[in-house]
Amino acid sequence: MINRYGLVPLAFALFVFSIFIITIIPSPHKACLDNNIAKLKQLDRDIYSDDEIARLGKSIGEGCRADTNYQLST
């Protein structure tokens, strides 16, 4: 089949299969970000100032990469 059609169809099929697998498997890093953003939105604005909320928001991505259990403590 490769001799008849070349490598282009095989490469295209591999590319489509790779994208399919990547999109079907959930990312723990994305789940961590989503959970922590939801927690950030629930913070009480009376207790936390806008500067503190902004600081916590900036640390979300770094905290999810550094923490092995993917939970950021706020």
Side-chain angles (χ1 to χ4, degrees):
M1 183 170 162
I2 292 176
N3 290 336
R4 185 174 182 187
Y5 297 109
L7 288 177
V8 174
L10 183 63
F12 179 72
L14 183 63
F15 176 75
V16 169
F17 180 74
S18 300
I19 296 297
F20 176 72
I21 292 297
I22 289 171
T23 58
I24 208 167
I25 298 173
S27 167
H29 182 72
K30 171 111 174 55
C32 174
L33 291 175
D34 291 341
N35 290 336
N36 290 325
I37 287 172
K39 289 178 188 176
L40 203 62
K41 289 181 180 179
Q42 293 174 354
L43 289 178
D44 189 7
R45 296 258 180 199
D46 295 334
I47 297 173
Y48 294 97
S49 69
D50 289 337
D51 293 334
E52 289 175 319
I53 292 175
R55 183 182 53 78
L56 288 171
K58 290 177 184 175
S59 69
I60 284 177
E62 296 168 1
C64 286
R65 284 195 187 117
D67 195 358
T68 56
N69 65 0
Y70 299 106
Q71 294 296 324
L72 182 67
S73 60
T74 55

